[in-house]
Amino acid sequence: MSARRHESGAEFVRQWQANSKRLTEKGLYDPAHEHDSCGVGLIASVDGKPRREVVVAGIDALKRVWHRGAVDADGKTGDGAGIHVQIPQEFFKSHIRRTGHEPSRGRLAVGQVFLPKTDLGAQETCRGIVETEILHFGYTIYGWRQVPVDVDLIGEKANATRPEIEQIMIANNLGVDDDQFETDLYIIRRRIEKRVLACHISGFYICSFSCRSIIYKGMFLAEQLSAFYPDLLNGRFVSAFAIYHQRYSTNTFPTWRLAQPFRMLAHNGEINTVTGNINWSISHEPRMASKIFGDAMEDIRPIVQSGSSDSEALDAMYEVLSRAGRPAPAVKALMIPESISQNATMPDDHKALFSYCSSVMEPWDGPAAVCATDGKWVVAGMDRNGLRPMRYS
């Protein structure tokens, strides 16, 4: 860490302590009201331009919330940590050129895939399904890339359950716009997941499958992220945002796939109404329709897959609403509308908005502050009752 960055971090801490003291004196803040749970946050460049500093800041911020996660007895295995960033296009295009191919103009897509580690037959089956569905949709595959990892850094339990981690790179040879490309990739991913599920293969999971963003995550400690994934240390790895998460599993057992961020969001709490939300989702699905999805509606049902955690279920619903054409802030308001009855100062226009949201779908309720992205927006917001506070600077 440079001396300048160290001084900047120290100054931030001093300012935060001074602000906390002032708020405490005015009765606006009480340290006793803090809640222990996962660590979540985001870094974003206000001008929207990808830069190396954003990725570095996201990694550093993740290391600062190490205390928000649990550590196994081996001292190296964690509940899970990860980071969600934009796809550094030049980083991956340079790799494609090294393989002897010239990438096409425009965005390429990257799928970050967990494969069964010990069953080579299942690995090949999964790769075949992934490739078949991509080609069936009319897109071209540049190839697979084995993600460089340093397995010596992580604990025995994390290593014992570690998947094979690979990336598949996809060309937009159809020349569609980025929104259509992203929609097609979502449908392709759902088709892949259904086919693999039908084969009764365990250990397969797609972390991200997008032309806009990519997720690096795993069952390790926050401080191990960039060392385990050397890609994140490359100077060409740039992004305009970084959503980071350190997991503290309170109601599910730690696994590689349950490490956050998920495909759209990361959060630091629980969704207490998740059973009801999933049941409502199932009851609404027969009437679901979308001009964007068209005849592919059957491919994306069920929205919430069986056995999903509350976080996965929340993310799955967030994703389908976003892919159906709503921007990320609108999805946040729709799924987690602010409580009207407990806010006497809310403007009437805001009350009307949240009343509308509550009439469209049942709110997902529980103490869980959320950071999310649809690849174009990044949003951060509290739960309906403000039980998980967030700070910004």
Side-chain angles (χ1 to χ4, degrees), residues 20-35:
S20 295
K21 183 179 179 181
R22 284 194 294 270
L23 291 171
T24 300
E25 290 172 349
K26 294 179 180 293
L28 299 175
Y29 170 72
D30 184 351
H33 292 161
E34 291 283 11
H35 298 270

Side-chain angles (χ1 to χ4, degrees), residues 70-72 74-79 154-158 219-221:
V71 183
D72 195 83
D74 62 16
K76 290 184 176 181
T77 299
D79 272 358
I154 60 177
E156 289 184 23
K157 293 183 180 179
M219 209 172 82
F220 39 70
L221 307 179

Side-chain angles (χ1 to χ4, degrees), residues 92-371:
F92 285 101
K93 288 183 177 181
S94 295
H95 172 78
I96 292 169
R97 292 187 186 100
R98 289 195 296 272
T99 65
H101 300 87
E102 183 58 35
S104 59
R105 297 178 63 182
R107 293 180 188 267
L108 61 82
V110 181
Q112 183 91 340
V113 184
F114 288 169
L115 295 164
K117 184 176 67 171
T118 56
D119 190 337
L120 299 183
Q123 273 189 32
E124 282 306 306
T125 299
C126 292
R127 289 192 192 95
I129 291 173
V130 171
E131 293 171 4
T132 299
E133 292 300 333
I134 293 169
L135 296 173
H136 180 74
F137 228 92
Y139 289 108
T140 301
I141 299 168
Y142 287 121
W144 290 86
R145 173 179 183 257
Q146 189 165 33
V147 181
V149 295
D150 188 345
V151 299
D152 294 332
L153 292 170
I154 60 177
E156 289 184 23
K157 293 183 180 179
N159 235 332
T161 57
R162 174 177 55 85
E164 190 71 20
I165 307 171
E166 297 186 9
Q167 293 164 337
I168 187 165
M169 293 163 288
I170 308 159
N172 182 6
N173 57 291
L174 300 182
V176 298
D177 62 36
D178 292 343
D179 287 343
Q180 185 62 54
F181 195 16
E182 201 75 334
T183 298
D184 291 348
L185 290 166
Y186 173 61
I187 296 170
I188 291 169
R189 196 199 83 221
R190 292 295 292 121
R191 289 180 175 178
I192 292 168
E193 290 168 341
K194 283 191 170 186
R195 284 192 57 189
V196 173
L197 186 65
C199 293
H200 304 287
I201 295 174
S202 60
F204 175 83
Y205 179 75
I206 299 177
C207 303
S208 55
F209 203 76
S210 169
C211 68
R212 289 193 169 112
S213 62
I214 188 167
I215 296 168
Y216 283 77
K217 68 178 186 177
M219 209 172 82
F220 39 70
L221 307 179
E223 64 194 43
Q224 297 169 333
L225 173 70
S226 57
F228 181 76
Y229 288 118
D231 281 358
L232 298 172
L233 300 175
N234 191 292
R236 288 175 299 179
F237 220 93
V238 297
S239 176
F241 73 85
I243 296 176
Y244 55 89
H245 188 275
Q246 165 68 63
R247 187 166 183 256
Y248 183 73
S249 56
T250 54
N251 53 10
T252 50
F253 195 76
T255 65
W256 281 78
R257 64 172 289 156
L258 288 180
Q260 295 188 41
F262 287 116
R263 289 145 189 156
M264 285 269 167
L265 59 80
H267 75 67
N268 73 335
E270 293 85 29
I271 303 300
N272 296 333
T273 59
V274 64
T275 301
N277 292 129
I278 293 174
N279 288 336
W280 278 116
S281 170
I282 294 170
S283 69
H284 293 324
E285 281 180 9
R287 299 188 299 276
M288 281 179 55
S290 167
K291 291 181 180 179
I292 291 177
F293 296 138
D295 295 334
M297 285 303 304
E298 199 56 41
D299 292 318
I300 65 176
R301 285 193 284 248
I303 304 305
V304 179
Q305 297 182 56
S306 176
S308 294
S309 67
D310 62 334
S311 309
E312 281 186 301
L314 180 71
D315 180 77
M317 183 58 68
Y318 201 107
E319 183 178 29
V320 73
L321 292 173
S322 178
R323 298 295 181 222
R326 295 174 178 84
V331 180
K332 163 63 173 71
L334 186 62
M335 292 188 66
I336 313 174
E338 190 170 334
S339 176
I340 299 173
S341 61
Q342 298 185 35
N343 191 335
T345 62
M346 182 184 292
D348 289 340
D349 286 348
H350 290 195
K351 289 182 179 179
L353 169 65
F354 292 127
S355 294
Y356 162 78
C357 290
S358 297
S359 69
V360 171
M361 72 179 303
E362 298 74 24
W364 292 63
D365 210 349
V370 172
C371 293

